[in-house]
Amino acid sequence: IRKFKEKKVSKETMVIKYTRIDRVLSNLGYATRGSAKTFLNRYKVTIDGQRIMSASEKVLPNQIFVDGQPIQSKLVHIVVHKPNGYVCTRDRDLESKIIYDLLPESFYKRKPILSVAGRLDKWVTGLVLMSQDGNLVKKIISPKKQPWGKEYIVTGKDPYKGDEKQVFEKGDLMLRGEEKPCKPAGFEMIDKQNHVAKMTLYEGRYHQVRRMLAAQGNKAIAIHRTRIGPIVLGNLPLGKWRYMTAAEVSALHRDGLSHSPLNQPNVDQQEQDDDNDEDNDDDDDDD
């Protein structure tokens, strides 16, 4: 076994020091530790052009090539602007288009799986976050651990009654079929004439926006998500995607964010705009 000196690597690398290749392959989803030897025999795994055959070889992930291609050692975190008609699933057997159709084909095949963190219904548009970091995905979709505000622009079929803000913020609205009332939610009128409002939820119940409006005798005819905690959709074009910035990923990893939408941390907008140049290159539904 060759000897290596340890050195620091980016926090976004799956392992941060020289580690046995069987563990690296397991962490990246290429093989279990028990099947690593078989993987090494089946595929040409190399470092600096030299083939690796020992499962105990110690390596850095960004040194590894599999069949001539560099191994993907960094976790991917992306923002997607979902159009209507797309389903947030990996199931390609459906007749509907899926959100992965908006991404490079290699993203669908990545290991660990690039997962949706908070699905949107087929006909709901807007912000969708996706990540290979399972722990981060759980933080985003679990309101008990990370009660971020999720903002939606909602168009009602009928005029709003005028008491929605009071009813939603009170935190005692019972939805049909539920045993517990909704958590306090924000409501702000945007365009009274066209029945457009902004709702901010701090939990993720099934079709919650639609059901909350229905409880008020109205019907949501359009729903568009614009924010999840510190991440905003901004000017990302419909149907496009971009990588999250380092600042956004860091913000998502923070704990103990306030329930108040007024206290949500804002990621530097210029940094987000700069990253938009990279465009085009199971949990509860929140709508």
Side-chain angles (χ1 to χ4, degrees):
I1 299 175
R2 291 177 293 168
K3 302 295 183 180
F4 296 99
K5 289 192 296 184
E6 292 192 2
K7 64 179 181 180
K8 294 182 179 179
V9 215
S10 167
K11 291 181 180 179
E12 281 294 283
T13 306
M14 289 292 289
V15 287
I16 60 173
K17 62 181 181 179
Y18 287 99
T19 306
R20 286 174 53 119
I21 196 168
D22 56 354
R23 176 173 290 181
V24 174
L25 293 174
S26 176
N27 288 345
L28 294 175
Y30 285 86
T32 64
R33 295 191 69 176
S35 65
K37 180 64 176 177
T38 301
F39 183 89
L40 293 172
N41 288 332
R42 181 176 299 174
Y43 299 94
K44 186 178 181 181
V45 180
T46 61
I47 294 179
D48 296 331
Q50 180 178 343
R51 187 166 185 176
I52 306 300
M53 298 301 297
S54 171
S56 62
E57 183 83 47
K58 290 191 174 182
V59 299
L60 281 176
N62 58 5
Q63 294 179 327
I64 304 172
F65 284 72
V66 176
D67 289 342
Q69 298 298 317
I71 204 170
Q72 296 290 346
S73 60
K74 291 187 177 181
L75 297 175
V76 165
H77 319 281
I78 62 173
V79 175
V80 184
H81 189 167
K82 177 189 168 303
N84 64 25
Y86 284 78
V87 181
C88 293
T89 180
R90 290 181 55 82
D91 188 357
R92 290 194 182 276
D93 294 332
L94 302 176
E95 293 183 0
S96 301
K97 295 173 287 188
I98 64 175
I99 195 164
Y100 293 89
D101 294 335
L102 301 171
L103 310 177
E105 180 64 26
S106 61
F107 280 18
Y108 182 80
K109 300 176 181 178
R110 285 184 68 93
K111 300 291 184 180
I113 291 172
L114 181 63
S115 300
V116 174
R119 296 176 295 178
L120 289 179
D121 190 47
K122 181 176 181 179
W123 303 114
V124 176
T125 63
L127 174 64
V128 173
L129 303 183
M130 302 180 71
S131 175
Q132 287 185 277
D133 186 338
N135 290 328
L136 184 60
V137 171
K138 289 178 182 178
K139 279 188 175 183
I140 294 170
I141 66 177
S142 175
K144 292 181 180 179
K145 296 180 180 179
Q146 194 71 290
W148 286 313
K150 299 178 181 180
E151 294 181 356
Y152 301 83
I153 303 302
V154 185
T155 303
K157 179 179 178 181
D158 301 314
Y160 293 105
K161 293 180 177 180
D163 65 345
E164 286 83 3
K165 180 178 176 64
Q166 178 181 357
V167 172
F168 294 163
E169 289 184 353
K170 192 173 181 181
D172 60 2
L173 179 66
M174 291 294 298
L175 300 179
R176 186 176 180 179
E178 300 279 357
E179 297 181 353
K180 294 182 180 180
C182 294
K183 291 183 178 180
F187 183 90
E188 178 184 339
M189 186 66 68
I190 294 178
D191 184 343
K192 186 175 182 179
Q193 182 176 355
N194 293 303
H195 319 154
V196 180
K198 179 174 73 175
M199 292 180 61
T200 306
L201 306 184
Y202 298 95
E203 57 183 338
R205 303 192 187 198
Y206 181 70
H207 289 177
Q208 186 172 352
V209 172
R210 298 182 192 276
R211 295 167 69 201
M212 289 178 70
L213 257 64
Q216 287 292 99
N218 207 335
K219 180 180 180 179
I221 60 174
I223 303 174
H224 180 73
R225 185 159 66 190
T226 59
R227 176 190 288 270
I228 298 177
I231 312 299
V232 295
L233 183 61
N235 58 6
L236 183 64
L238 183 68
K240 305 302 181 183
W241 66 275
R242 65 171 176 83
Y243 291 104
M244 290 187 205
T245 67
E248 287 174 323
V249 175
S250 178
L252 287 173
H253 276 292
R254 293 195 201 111
D255 290 324
L257 296 181
S258 169
H259 286 257
S260 172
L262 299 178
N263 294 326
Q264 298 292 346
N266 289 313
V267 178
D268 185 78
Q269 186 62 49
Q270 183 60 51
E271 186 174 9
Q272 292 188 36
D273 291 343
D274 291 344
D275 272 35
N276 283 341
D277 293 337
E278 296 186 74
D279 299 344
N280 301 308
D281 192 64
D282 279 302
D283 46 280
D284 290 332
D285 295 290
D286 286 328
D287 51 82

